[in-house]
């Protein structure tokens, strides 16, 4: 089944959104893609593909939500303050994240959107050093998780009013940026690739023992749109690889791929002063689990994309 219709991706020029739009254009030739950005002028980040349309959406301007979903079949809501912004400016983040999500949901219901997907976060659970499933209590301990959690309540409210919604609680996504204006090199995957390619050396701020559930953007897009096409009737899905690994193992996997593709050796330096222990209790139960071979294939694809990105800029 091929996805046909009008797809609105809020925050589509951002880190995750720009990659998602690129995927949609290549994967769904009979769909029309809309993306939002807060500026009046259309960001010059995509080609002049006629299937990519632009709508202005400033999350702090309530009038921008009037008819933003007019003619839209599917909404994927990505526009949200990131963890750094939420930590530094809680008040504005509540306005833009929580209230913005409510107003978008209101307009989606008004225009009878077929499916509304909200990308949330594993951090709504708070303490991750435990076994987690989608019925685990939400106990956020950071403004980012707290504001995402509040936005989730609004998604559930509109689901009860008849809007077909889905919440995806993402673990640790990674992937190459799509364009040069993406400023997310504070994230582990991007930081490691950039250090290795720029310096031939990778310095970690930790001892690498902590386990996280990593998943690639490529895996996310494939499964997310499958959920849309099959119209899975679930309210909340935990999304990740389902197979947590240590930061050290993840970084070494990246090193091996980079050395094979880039033909240069890299050295790895750990923070020996970090005395953090392995978080053996952490297990993130997801709707699908990747085995090591599948995970490595997705990782290699993202490293190749990063190499292309790095060489282009």
């Amino acid at each position: 089944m091929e996805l046909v219709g009008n797809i609105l991706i809020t925050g589509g020029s951002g880190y995750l959104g720009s990659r998602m739009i690129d995927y949609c254009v290549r994967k769904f030739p009979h769909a029309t893609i809309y993306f939002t950005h807060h500026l009046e002028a259309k960001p010059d980040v995509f080609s002049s593909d006629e299937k990519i349309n632009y709508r202005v959406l400033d999350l702090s301007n309530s009038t921008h939500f009037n008819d933003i979903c007019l003619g839209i079949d599917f909404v994927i809501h990505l526009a949200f303050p990131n963890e750094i912004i939420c930590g530094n400016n809680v008040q504005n983040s509540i306005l833009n994240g929580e209230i913005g999500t409510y107003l978008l949901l209101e307009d989606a219901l008004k225009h009878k959107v077929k499916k509304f997907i909200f990308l949330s976060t594993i951090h709504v659970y708070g303490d991750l050093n435990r076994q987690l499933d989608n019925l685990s209590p939400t106990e956020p301990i950071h403004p980012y998780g707290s504001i995402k959690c509040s936005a989730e309540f609004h998604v559930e409210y509109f689901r009860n009013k008849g809007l077909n919604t889905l919440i995806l609680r993402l673990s640790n996504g990674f992937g190459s940026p799509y364009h040069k204006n993406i400023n997310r090199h504070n994230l582990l995957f991007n930081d490691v690739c950039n250090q290795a390619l720029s310096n031939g050396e990778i310095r970690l701020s930790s001892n690498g023992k902590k386990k996280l559930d990593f998943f690639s953007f490529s895996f996310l897009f494939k499964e997310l749109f499958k959920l849309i096409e099959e119209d899975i009737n679930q309210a909340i899905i935990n999304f990740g690889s389902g197979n947590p690994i240590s930061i050290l193992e993840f970084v070494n996997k990246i090193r091996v791929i980079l050395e094979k593709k880039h033909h240069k050796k890299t050295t790895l330096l750990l923070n020996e002063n970090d005395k953090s222990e392995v978080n053996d209790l952490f297990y993130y139960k997801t709707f699908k689990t990747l085995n090591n071979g599948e995970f490595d294939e997705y990782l290699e694809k993202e490293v190749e994309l990063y190499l292309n990105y790095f060489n282009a800029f």
Side-chain angles (χ1 to χ4, degrees), residues 188 202-212 246-248 251 268-276:
L188 181 64
I202 301 168
R203 290 180 177 269
L204 292 184
S205 60
S206 72
N207 60 22
K209 293 181 180 179
K210 184 178 181 180
K211 288 185 178 180
L212 296 171
S246 72
I247 291 173
L248 182 59
V251 171
L268 175 60
L269 301 172
L270 305 177
N271 181 1
E272 301 297 343
N273 294 321
D274 179 19
K275 304 302 180 184
S276 302

Coordinates of all heavy atoms in Angstrom, one line a residue, residues 188 202-212 246-248 251 268-276:
L188 N 25.2 12.8 20.6 CA 26.3 11.8 20.6 C 26.7 11.4 19.2 O 27.9 11.4 18.9 CB 25.9 10.6 21.5 CG 27.0 9.5 21.6 CD1 28.2 10.1 22.3 CD2 26.4 8.3 22.3
I202 N 38.4 10.7 19.2 CA 37.0 10.9 19.8 C 37.2 11.0 21.3 O 37.8 10.1 21.9 CB 36.1 9.7 19.5 CG1 35.9 9.5 18.0 CG2 34.8 9.8 20.2 CD1 35.3 8.2 17.6
R203 N 36.8 12.0 21.9 CA 36.8 12.2 23.3 C 35.4 12.1 23.9 O 34.5 12.9 23.5 CB 37.4 13.6 23.7 CG 38.9 13.7 23.4 CD 39.5 15.1 23.8 NE 40.9 15.1 23.6 CZ 41.8 14.9 24.5 NH1 41.4 14.5 25.7 NH2 43.1 15.0 24.2
L204 N 35.2 11.2 24.8 CA 33.9 11.1 25.5 C 34.0 11.8 26.8 O 35.0 11.7 27.5 CB 33.5 9.6 25.7 CG 33.2 8.8 24.4 CD1 32.7 7.4 24.8 CD2 32.1 9.5 23.6
S205 N 32.9 12.4 27.2 CA 32.8 13.1 28.5 C 32.4 12.1 29.7 O 32.4 12.5 30.8 CB 31.8 14.2 28.5 OG 30.5 13.7 28.2
S206 N 32.2 10.8 29.3 CA 31.9 9.8 30.3 C 32.8 8.6 30.1 O 33.7 8.6 29.3 CB 30.4 9.4 30.1 OG 30.3 8.6 29.0
N207 N 32.6 7.6 31.0 CA 33.4 6.3 30.8 C 32.7 5.4 29.8 O 33.3 4.3 29.6 CB 33.6 5.6 32.2 CG 32.2 5.2 32.9 OD1 31.2 5.1 32.2 ND2 32.2 5.1 34.2
G208 N 31.6 5.7 29.3 CA 30.9 5.0 28.3 C 30.1 3.7 28.7 O 29.6 3.0 27.9
K209 N 30.0 3.6 30.1 CA 29.4 2.4 30.6 C 27.8 2.4 30.5 O 27.1 1.4 30.5 CB 29.8 2.1 32.0 CG 31.3 1.7 32.1 CD 31.6 1.4 33.6 CE 33.1 1.0 33.8 NZ 33.4 0.8 35.2
K210 N 27.3 3.6 30.5 CA 25.8 3.8 30.6 C 25.2 3.2 29.3 O 25.7 3.3 28.2 CB 25.5 5.3 30.6 CG 24.0 5.6 30.8 CD 23.7 7.1 30.9 CE 22.3 7.3 31.1 NZ 22.0 8.8 31.2
K211 N 24.1 2.5 29.6 CA 23.3 1.9 28.5 C 22.2 2.8 28.0 O 21.5 3.3 28.9 CB 22.8 0.5 28.9 CG 23.9 -0.6 29.0 CD 23.2 -1.9 29.3 CE 24.3 -3.0 29.3 NZ 23.7 -4.4 29.6
L212 N 22.0 2.9 26.7 CA 20.9 3.6 26.2 C 20.2 2.8 25.1 O 20.8 1.9 24.5 CB 21.4 4.9 25.6 CG 22.0 6.0 26.6 CD1 22.6 7.1 25.8 CD2 20.9 6.5 27.6
S246 N 25.7 -0.2 25.6 CA 26.4 0.9 26.2 C 26.9 1.9 25.2 O 27.0 1.7 24.0 CB 27.7 0.3 26.9 OG 28.6 -0.1 26.0
I247 N 27.1 3.1 25.7 CA 27.6 4.2 24.9 C 28.9 3.8 24.2 O 29.2 4.0 23.1 CB 27.8 5.5 25.7 CG1 26.5 6.1 26.1 CG2 28.6 6.5 25.0 CD1 26.5 7.2 27.1
L248 N 29.8 3.1 25.0 CA 31.1 2.6 24.5 C 30.9 1.7 23.3 O 31.6 1.8 22.3 CB 31.9 2.0 25.6 CG 33.3 1.5 25.2 CD1 34.1 2.6 24.7 CD2 33.9 0.8 26.4
V251 N 29.7 3.8 20.3 CA 30.8 4.6 19.7 C 31.8 3.7 18.9 O 32.2 4.0 17.9 CB 31.5 5.4 20.8 CG1 32.7 6.0 20.3 CG2 30.5 6.4 21.4
L268 N 40.2 6.6 20.7 CA 39.1 6.9 21.5 C 39.6 7.1 22.9 O 40.4 6.3 23.5 CB 38.1 5.7 21.6 CG 37.0 5.8 22.6 CD1 36.1 7.0 22.3 CD2 36.1 4.5 22.5
L269 N 39.2 8.3 23.5 CA 39.6 8.7 24.9 C 38.4 8.8 25.8 O 37.5 9.5 25.4 CB 40.4 10.0 24.8 CG 41.6 10.0 24.0 CD1 42.2 11.5 23.8 CD2 42.7 9.1 24.5
L270 N 38.4 8.0 26.9 CA 37.3 8.0 27.8 C 37.6 8.9 29.0 O 38.8 9.2 29.3 CB 37.0 6.6 28.3 CG 36.7 5.6 27.2 CD1 36.5 4.2 27.9 CD2 35.5 5.9 26.4
N271 N 36.6 9.4 29.7 CA 36.7 10.2 30.9 C 36.9 9.2 32.0 O 36.0 8.7 32.6 CB 35.5 11.1 31.1 CG 35.7 11.9 32.4 OD1 36.7 11.8 33.1 ND2 34.7 12.7 32.7
E272 N 38.2 8.9 32.4 CA 38.5 8.0 33.4 C 38.0 8.4 34.8 O 37.9 7.6 35.8 CB 40.0 7.7 33.5 CG 40.5 7.1 32.1 CD 39.9 5.8 31.8 OE1 39.4 5.1 32.6 OE2 40.1 5.4 30.6
N273 N 37.7 9.7 35.0 CA 37.3 10.2 36.3 C 35.8 10.0 36.5 O 35.3 10.2 37.6 CB 37.6 11.7 36.4 CG 39.0 12.1 36.4 OD1 39.8 11.3 37.0 ND2 39.4 13.1 35.7
D274 N 35.1 9.6 35.4 CA 33.7 9.3 35.6 C 33.5 7.9 36.2 O 33.9 6.9 35.6 CB 33.0 9.3 34.2 CG 31.5 9.0 34.2 OD1 30.9 9.1 35.3 OD2 31.0 8.7 33.2
K275 N 32.9 7.9 37.4 CA 32.8 6.6 38.1 C 31.4 6.0 37.9 O 31.0 5.1 38.7 CB 33.1 6.8 39.6 CG 34.5 7.4 39.8 CD 35.6 6.6 39.2 CE 36.9 7.2 39.5 NZ 38.0 6.4 38.9
S276 N 30.6 6.4 36.9 CA 29.3 5.9 36.7 C 29.3 4.4 36.5 O 30.2 3.9 35.8 CB 28.6 6.6 35.5 OG 28.5 8.0 35.7

